[in-house]
């Protein structure tokens, strides 16, 4: 189902993000998690895309397995980094063939390694170029839906670190929408004011597509550190850090604090009629299920 129809039918959308597992054991754990989260009837689930060859295959495999063996709508992430035009074309062909209707189009970050990444070898320099290409793919007539793929793009409520000029950054975001994106999914954030401010700046920039809020419940101190490393631009408020500090390293307490914090964030977002909430699940079901229960969400 095209994302425009999904959002039109089930506002606010609730969606979950998974990353492709690397071992048989973690794959089994992920499918157990997916089974539990499937009961919550998400609007769609999205699957991240890595920077290197073998992990990329794992994304394609996971997307098709979810499509074949569950009732869920998988939305694969696709990045510009390390891809030629031919490669992107053949990935889109494959997704069209298997009736995958939507894609989240990203630039991606260069792979970490010794050799610096030569961006001039990438066919598409920015996500907006990839969005335009995915839009054009509909002319190939391979998508079942005449609108072609539904396309999502990333948004950064607290700004993307590479563009300190926030006004310019909104122009770049607008380019992605003008190139054909249907919705924005945001980077995780811990202060809803940042999200509401981002919504207002989008409106002022003439960006009128739905904006889905990215939420990540903190479930461990280690996870929080990792998140701070990975989530470009995201600030961790002192209020949350203090609450975690009070747990004195007790794992269960940290998890409860993280779930409680994310629940309050979601409750406030829902009261403010947002378009959707996207949970960064880290391939675990417990925190997301806990939030659903506390919010009394039934779908
Ligand atoms: P772009 O929109 O291309 O922007 C990148 C930077 O370039 C920004 O600073 C922007 O302002 C600037 N820019 C854009 N256009 C221009 C222009 N014309 N001229 C000059 N500057 C310009 N990464 C992965 O590798 N795999 C994933 O699966 C993945 N999933 C993600 C999901 C979400 C919801 C989010 C928020 C991020 C995800 N990322 C993922 C991370 C993302 O790829 C990085 O944060 C990346 O640095 C930015 O991607 P983008 O698509 O926003 O890039």
């Amino acid at each position: 189902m095209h994302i425009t129809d999904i959002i039109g039918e089930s506002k606010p959308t609730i969606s979950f993000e998974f990353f492709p597992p690397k071992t048989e054991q973690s794959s089994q754990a992920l499918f157990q998690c997916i089974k539990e989260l499937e009961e919550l009837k998400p609007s769609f689930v999205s699957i991240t895309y890595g920077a290197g060859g073998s992990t990329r295959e794992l994304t394609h495999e996971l997307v098709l397995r979810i499509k074949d063996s569950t009732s869920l709508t998988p939305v694969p992430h696709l990045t510009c980094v390390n891809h030629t035009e031919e490669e992107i074309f053949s990935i889109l062909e494959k997704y069209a063939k298997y009736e995958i209707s939507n894609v989240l189009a990203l630039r991606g970050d260069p792979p970490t390694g010794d050799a610096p990444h030569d961006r001039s070898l990438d066919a598409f320099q920015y996500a907006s170029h990839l969005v335009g290409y995915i839009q054009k793919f509909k002319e190939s007539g391979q998508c079942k839906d005449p609108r072609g793929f539904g396309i999502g793009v990333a948004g950064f409520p607290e700004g993307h670190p590479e563009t300190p000029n926030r006004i310019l950054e909104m122009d770049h975001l607008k380019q992605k929408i003008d190139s054909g994106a249907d919705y924005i999914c945001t980077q995780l954030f811990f202060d809803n004011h940042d999200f509401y401010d981002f919504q207002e700046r989008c409106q002022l920039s003439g960006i009128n597509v739905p904006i889905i809020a990215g939420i990540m419940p903190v479930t461990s101190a280690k996870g929080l550190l990792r998140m701070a490393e990975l989530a470009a631009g995201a600030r961790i408020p002192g209020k949350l850090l203090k609450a975690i500090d009070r747990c004195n390293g007790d794992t269960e307490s940290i998890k409860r604090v993280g779930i409680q914090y994310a629940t309050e964030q979601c409750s406030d977002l829902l009261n403010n009629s947002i378009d959707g909430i996207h949970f960064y699940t880290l391939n675990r079901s417990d925190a997301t299920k806990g939030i659903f229960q506390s919010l009394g969400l039934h779908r």
Side-chain angles (χ1 to χ4, degrees), residues 17 48-49 77 79 104-109 126-128 154-156 160 162-163 169 172 175-176 185-187 232 280:
E17 181 169 303
T48 64
Y49 197 57
H77 297 192
T79 62
L104 186 74
L106 303 143
R107 187 197 64 190
D109 287 319
Y126 294 108
S128 57
F156 295 81
H160 187 267
E162 277 172 45
T163 309
E169 189 187 19
H172 295 154
Q175 275 167 15
K176 297 198 267 195
C185 183
T186 76
Q187 177 64 285
Y280 292 96

Side-chain angles (χ1 to χ4, degrees), residues 140-156:
S140 73
Q142 296 185 56
C143 289
K144 203 171 162 204
D145 192 310
R147 292 169 290 184
F149 286 104
I151 308 173
V153 290
F156 295 81

Side-chain angles (χ1 to χ4, degrees), residues 78-91:
L78 184 58
T79 62
C80 306
V81 164
N82 264 341
H83 266 316
T84 62
E85 184 179 327
E86 291 73 25
E87 285 165 350
I88 295 283
F89 189 82
S90 80
I91 292 168

